[in-house]
Structure formats: structure tokens, C-alpha cells
Amino acid sequence: MKVMAAVKRVVDYNVKVRVRADGSGVDLANVKMAMNPFCEIAVEEAVRLKEQGIASEVVVVSVGSPGAQEQLRTALALGADRAILVETDDALGSLAVAKLLKAVVDKEQPQLVILGKQAIDSDNNQTGQMLAALSGYAQGTFASYVEIREDKVTVAREIDGGAQTVSLKLPAIVTTDLRLNEPRYASLPNIMKAKKKPLEVLTPGALGICTDSTNKTVNVEAPAARSPGIKVKSVAELVEKLKNEAKVI
Amino acid sequence: MTILVIAEHDNKALAAATLNTVAAAAKIGGDIHVLVAGQGAGAVAEAAAKIAGVSKVLNADNAAYAHQLPENVAPLVAELGKGYSHILAAATSNGKNILPRVAAALDVDQISEIISVESADTFKRPIYAGNAIATVQSNAAVKVITVRSTGFDPVAAEGGSAAVEAVAAAHDAGISSFVGEELAKSDRPELTAAKIVVSGGRGMQNGDNFKHLYALADKLGAAVGASRAAVDAGFVPNDMQVGQTGKIVAPQLYIAVGISGAIQHLAGMKDSKVIVAINKDEEAPIFQVADYGLVADLFEAIPELEQLV
């Protein structure tokens, strides 16, 4: 069966972002970009399914700027067979991305689509669920374990009180949680080979998808700064401060 | 304007996060209805009817909703939600699972994890692991929103007297089924609702050493949390994780023990009223957000702290 993994190009998770003074957004000029960490886990899971002989082909797809080709090449170096970029310079909302992914899913007909549970830039946690709704497929969100048997996928999910297991009819959508797997690193020979793998570029217009959003970001500001704290010298002093100054215990 | 709030529950009891979500709805203004989708959840519907400010409770009782599978519940919410100005759910694992599916069914963009209501169509939410706050305006006919509990003080659980109305609509997509669940058992307060949280990180060295934190927590009446490093190392189960990808907490007092203070961890706790950091590395980033920092070996400091409080 065919497995698809979706990846997003985001600011590297170690970068402390700066908010632009005019409130128009965060400053991403000359900032290190990388594959969203949850998407790395999605690609890894897809590649493992191929290594187990369950997936016959792994297709990676991204929606974003031409720069996202870099992240698609990374996914190809990790073991994906081919890549599709839906190229747009607009900052799209989750619903628009889900609609574009749905168009690609209709075209490619994968049995399983794996996405990250959320992107670390927008922190939305929506796209996988929306793609599932638009395709009418079942969803296994926040997955920490995935097993495919015949026409079903069993997904262990991380929920607030512990873990939940659901069984979904294929085709289905899975979104990854951090503990699903440990993503591998791309080796140099594989990075070289990835340059020769096919990468198809599509546009929202060619797919016939309207990418308008019902949401508009009107301002982006820095969070309120905490007032600087103090260092105490002993546990006794700490307890005294907590009791008498902060009055929290 | 009428607002539909999706109740968070386990078929037996109404979860506290529902009260914070109703508080957000009250800030928007208008009539507030609560939907209880489940099986045999009559007690939950009765509890929802008592919430201050709620004018109607919709009780959808059906075997298909027993485990609140999104494939079945989302079409129900989308169908009922068409007549509402806003649909709100708590940003819990359940709310996050179901609501985007509702939004897509209604062909609108969702606003996730709002922390404040500016007006009926404008909301604030954190992005980039809480390092920026976005003000988002929605022109959707039905505004679909998840609410970060720590952003809103809960409304009173008693005082209301709403009518409970049964909803007959049954949606069973038949594409997913519940297999089982394993819930961690704990006598301590729930992490997201606790007034005091004591968290351990990689510095705890092993799971056994968490007993020191449990002892301290029990003395303080606190919940125990953990950093991702402690969870990944297998010290504690993952539902204890505080951070961008775990739980978001904002207690009166947060005590971070052996936690360096990575961006992703801070995202989950930096709205705490008072932050205490105990770490032997005085350069650890956690000290930049801590109100009180103690540079010490946690294996000496924690037992001493337990004695003194």
C-alpha cells in the first residue's frame, strides 16, 4: 500500500524567535529553518512501514514556499521515494493546507496519511483532523504506536489521563506524538541519492483550491515579560520567602 | 448570539476544564448552551445544568458517542452547531481531537487555545511555543474555538438551573472503534488544576528518585509534573509532561527541580504565578524565569525543603 507523509518547513525548534516591532509577525529573516519535529517522526514512521514490507511506496508532501524543497529533500534522504510540493508564498491557515492535502490525497490515493500532531510555529494542532474530516477518513491523533493489519490500523493515542487505543478502517489519517519513534539521521550517501529522486511541484491554482481563510491575524506581540527574580542562598530562606513574601505556601 | 460549549467528561463526571470554557463563553457574551455527547451521561448533563450562566443543556445519549470518537461526535457537533455563533471546547486532548474536524465540516478555520477574549470575533492565542501572542480575528459565520483552561478563571459549578433537553441525532460513521484505555492512577490533584505543581527533569536521574518529589508534593497538596527529558528517559508516564507538547499549567506555585528550562518546557508553565527553580547549574535557563532560584544539589535541597514546609 501507498503511505503519504506530510512535512512542514518551520523555524528550527532551538531558535528563540523575535517579534517584529510593528506587530506584523515574528522575524524570520536569516533564521535557521528545519523540518517540524513532529513531521520528522511522521516520515520516520512511514519509512519504517516500508522497511517492514507494509508500505510499497512512501510519498512525502509539503505545502509552502519554494524553500520547503529543502525539507522534502531531507525526507527523501531519510527514505521516502518521491516528493510533492504544493508551492505557495502565502501563509496559509490549517483549513487551506488540509484542502490542498485532500486534493493531493485524491490524486495519489494513499491508504495511510501520517502528519505531525502540530507545527511548532502556529501551534494549531488542526491540519490532520481537518484532512480526515474533508476526506471522510477515520483519524488516529497523537499516536504513540501504530500497527497495520489487513484493512485496519490500530493506533495507541496519548490522551490527558494516559493512553487510549482505537482501531480505524483504512484509508485513515494518523498524527504523530513525540513518543511514536526516534527519527533517524540522513547519511551523506543518502543525501546525495535524494537529489536524484523525483520532486513534483504543484500550485493551489492547478489543484483548483481556494485558500482563503476565515481567520485574520491582526497583531503579533511579545508575551508580557516576567519581572526578574532573585537567587536565594538556602532552603530555609526559600521557604521563608515563599511563606512571607510570595505567600503561596 | 448563542454559544455552544462542548462538555468535557468521562460519562460519569463533568471535567473541571468545562467551567473554564464556560467562563470564556461568558466573556464573549450571549446565551450559553452545553452539549453533553456520551452514553449514560445523565449525571454529567445534570452537573452541566447547574453551572452558573448556562441556559440549556443538550444531552446526546447514544452508544456511538460512548468514547467520544471524533468520527461520530464531530458530525453531531457540526449539525447542532450550524445554528450557533460560536462553538467552544476546552483545549484538552479530547477537544483538540474533535473540534478541528467540526471546523472543517463547517468549512471554517478554527482558532486554537485562546487565552483571552478581546471581542465577540477577536481573540488572543500564543504561537511559537508561547514566545509570541497573536491577536486573531474571525469572520466565520460559526466561530470554532478551543480554550486554554489556564487563561480563564472557572465559573461557579453551582447556581444555575438550566433545562436538559435530549438530542436524538445519531451519527455512527462506522469507520473507527474504541479498543481500550489505560489511565494512570493518582491520588494527587490533577496537574492542570493544581494550585501547586512540583516538576522533575533529567536531573532526577531515575524514576525511583521521583519519590522525593512525591513526598514533597504530598506535604504541599501539590500535583507532580515532569519535563520531556524525564518522560523520554522513562522516569514517569507521559501524561505528567508539562510543556508545548504536554500539559499547560498555570498554578500559584511551580517548583522546577532538575529542569534546565528549554523553550518547549517553559511554554507549558511560564504563566505560573510564582516559579521556583532548584538546579545545581547556575547557568540553567530556568533561572531566567524563576522568581526564586536556588543553586543546590536537589538530593540535599528537596528532603530539606520537605522538612521545612
Side-chain angles (χ1 to χ4, degrees):
Chain A
M1 63 181 225
K2 193 190 279 186
V3 174
M4 185 180 280
V7 302
K8 184 176 184 184
R9 173 181 170 89
V10 298
V11 63
D12 185 273
Y13 72 97
N14 278 314
V15 172
K16 187 146 175 18
V17 294
R18 276 175 209 288
V19 174
R20 285 198 210 108
D22 62 359
S24 61
V26 299
D27 194 357
L28 293 180
N30 306 314
V31 167
K32 187 183 173 202
M33 303 296 277
M35 193 192 296
N36 180 41
F38 291 98
C39 302
E40 288 182 353
I41 296 170
V43 171
E44 175 68 29
E45 196 65 17
V47 171
R48 286 187 191 188
L49 288 171
K50 192 179 174 200
E51 287 167 348
Q52 290 162 21
I54 295 167
S56 51
E57 187 185 29
V58 173
V59 182
V60 282
V61 55
S62 187
V63 176
S65 65
Q69 288 203 16
E70 199 187 316
Q71 278 63 47
L72 286 171
R73 290 286 172 206
T74 305
L76 292 170
L78 293 170
D81 297 296
R82 61 192 171 85
I84 299 169
L85 174 63
V86 182
E87 196 179 292
T88 170
D89 279 319
D90 303 329
L92 299 184
S94 292
L95 184 62
V97 173
K99 284 178 180 172
L100 292 166
L101 291 177
K102 158 80 164 51
V104 176
V105 165
D106 285 347
K107 211 157 103 60
E108 294 285 338
Q109 298 287 321
Q111 286 294 293
L112 187 70
V113 185
I114 313 178
L115 301 88
K117 83 163 175 182
Q118 76 190 59
I120 59 164
D121 51 0
S122 60
D123 280 336
N124 269 339
N125 195 331
Q126 299 172 1
T127 307
Q129 294 90 316
M130 287 178 160
L131 174 60
L134 298 173
S135 347
Y137 295 166
Q139 67 189 52
T141 52
F142 327 143
S144 58
Y145 176 76
V146 171
E147 188 183 66
I148 293 172
R149 280 232 186 100
E150 292 164 22
D151 64 339
K152 290 215 163 98
V153 55
T154 302
V155 180
R157 306 178 51 235
E158 295 198 358
I159 59 169
D160 287 337
Q164 180 193 64
T165 306
V166 291
S167 171
L168 314 173
K169 219 166 115 182
L170 293 174
I173 310 291
V174 164
T175 75
T176 64
D177 216 319
L178 281 170
R179 272 161 290 278
L180 179 59
N181 61 46
E182 187 85 30
R184 70 192 70 187
Y185 293 98
S187 68
L188 187 59
N190 285 343
I191 292 170
M192 300 310 288
K193 275 185 218 152
K195 292 184 179 172
K196 294 203 179 69
K197 289 185 178 174
L199 193 159
E200 184 185 358
V201 179
L202 302 168
T203 61
L207 291 167
I209 303 292
C210 167
T211 57
D212 292 348
S213 174
T214 55
N215 286 350
K216 191 174 81 180
T217 299
V218 289
N219 184 44
V220 176
E221 63 201 322
R226 292 186 74 93
S227 46
I230 57 161
K231 288 233 171 99
V232 293
K233 295 208 166 46
S234 67
V235 175
E237 188 188 348
L238 174 64
V239 172
E240 190 272 319
K241 295 265 190 216
L242 289 177
K243 276 188 176 151
N244 302 323
E245 195 174 280
K247 297 189 172 49
V248 283
I249 56 172
Chain B
M1 266 192 330
T2 313
I3 302 165
L4 183 66
V5 171
I6 316 301
E8 174 84 13
H9 69 92
D10 59 358
N11 290 320
K12 294 183 201 83
L14 186 74
T18 310
L19 303 176
N20 307 79
T21 312
V22 171
K27 288 225 163 116
I28 295 168
D31 268 0
I32 300 170
H33 296 180
V34 174
L35 170 68
V36 178
Q39 188 183 24
V44 178
E46 277 168 38
K50 289 192 188 119
I51 300 175
V54 172
S55 61
K56 186 155 88 174
V57 174
L58 304 172
N59 186 12
D61 192 329
N62 193 295
Y65 309 141
H67 300 285
Q68 296 176 43
L69 296 171
E71 296 79 5
N72 302 343
V73 173
L76 169 76
V77 178
E79 184 191 298
L80 294 172
K82 281 199 180 92
Y84 288 87
S85 61
H86 299 73
I87 303 175
L88 268 57
T92 54
S93 57
N94 219 8
K96 290 176 184 175
N97 195 24
I98 293 169
L99 225 57
R101 203 169 170 116
V102 173
L106 294 170
D107 196 25
V108 299
D109 254 297
Q110 179 185 300
I111 306 181
S112 294
E113 303 223 17
I114 61 161
I115 53 168
S116 84
V117 173
E118 302 298 297
S119 71
D121 67 357
T122 308
F123 309 89
K124 285 194 177 178
R125 62 176 300 262
I127 53 176
Y128 290 91
N131 287 302
I133 307 295
T135 306
V136 182
Q137 192 171 34
S138 166
N139 62 14
V142 185
K143 294 165 183 56
V144 179
I145 296 164
T146 61
V147 176
R148 182 173 284 189
S149 297
T150 57
F152 299 87
D153 292 330
V155 296
E158 302 285 337
S161 57
V164 179
E165 194 176 289
V167 175
H171 294 269
D172 190 351
I175 49 175
S176 58
S177 59
F178 172 85
V179 176
E181 65 187 1
E182 239 177 274
L183 300 180
K185 289 192 176 57
S186 169
D187 298 331
R188 294 186 189 86
E190 202 216 335
L191 194 52
T192 53
K195 293 229 166 5
I196 303 179
V197 173
V198 180
S199 277
R202 198 193 301 276
M204 297 305 296
Q205 293 177 7
N206 60 52
D208 207 31
N209 285 335
F210 264 74
K211 66 175 186 243
H212 300 298
L213 296 191
Y214 295 136
L216 174 62
D218 287 341
K219 216 149 169 208
L220 291 167
V224 179
S227 69
R228 186 190 164 195
V231 173
D232 279 354
F235 299 173
V236 291
N238 59 45
D239 55 287
M240 284 170 63
Q241 184 181 323
V242 171
Q244 184 182 21
T245 63
K247 302 229 166 83
I248 313 287
V249 301
Q252 295 289 306
L253 173 61
Y254 187 91
I255 304 178
V257 182
I259 292 176
S260 65
I263 293 172
Q264 293 78 15
H265 185 74
L266 300 183
M269 46 63 80
K270 70 180 176 185
D271 290 327
S272 306
K273 187 163 169 272
V274 174
I275 297 173
V276 169
I278 300 174
N279 203 307
K280 64 179 175 191
D281 173 14
E282 62 180 312
E283 301 295 320
I286 191 78
F287 287 119
Q288 289 162 22
V289 299
D291 299 281
Y292 302 107
L294 176 64
V295 181
D297 182 351
L298 67 95
F299 294 107
E300 288 164 20
I302 294 302
E304 196 185 340
L305 185 57
E306 193 210 325
Q307 290 301 314
L308 289 174
V309 294

